[in-house]
Amino acid sequence: MKNIILLALSLLTLNACKDECRKYSDFSCDQIQKSDYNVYFYYPSGTEEYLGKTTGLDSCGSVAWRQARYKELVGSDWTYICCMIAKGSSCYEKHR
């Protein structure tokens, strides 16, 4: 029984180490995908616009793309940042 528990713990540890996102983040890929984000949009001129708060990294990107379409900027040099809301910070980590 003891060996089975040790094996299970070892496998869990190995799986945690394989999470690619842990190479650049304090969070797992799953946590990054499901977190809350502040969405910042950057126009080709460099002007920043806060677009609001959203849940999920995919949703953050969608909010930025909708803004680009709405402002007819698709194909131009705009960008965005998803600021993870975590550990008491409104921008603990930046993602895209």
Side-chain angles (χ1 to χ4, degrees):
M1 182 66 169
K2 198 182 222 181
N3 288 338
I4 292 173
I5 292 171
L6 288 174
L7 177 61
L9 288 173
S10 296
L11 289 173
L12 287 172
T13 301
L14 283 174
N15 284 337
C17 293
K18 290 181 182 180
D19 191 318
E20 288 294 312
C21 297
R22 292 285 187 179
K23 292 179 182 176
Y24 62 85
S25 174
D26 288 346
F27 300 92
S28 69
C29 292
D30 188 54
Q31 290 171 313
I32 288 170
Q33 287 299 326
K34 295 178 181 178
S35 291
D36 290 332
Y37 291 92
N38 286 312
V39 186
Y40 292 91
F41 187 86
Y42 296 90
Y43 291 89
S45 66
T47 303
E48 175 187 271
E49 183 177 354
Y50 175 67
L51 300 181
K53 179 181 166 184
T54 190
T55 299
L57 192 56
D58 291 339
S59 176
C60 178
S62 294
V63 168
W65 274 99
R66 279 194 302 272
Q67 180 71 0
R69 282 194 307 271
Y70 176 72
K71 295 292 185 173
E72 298 179 353
L73 295 171
V74 174
S76 64
D77 195 22
W78 63 274
T79 190
Y80 69 98
I81 293 289
C82 302
C83 279
M84 181 189 278
I85 301 167
K87 299 185 180 187
S89 174
S90 62
C91 194
Y92 186 77
E93 289 184 352
K94 294 178 181 179
H95 295 276
R96 283 200 188 137

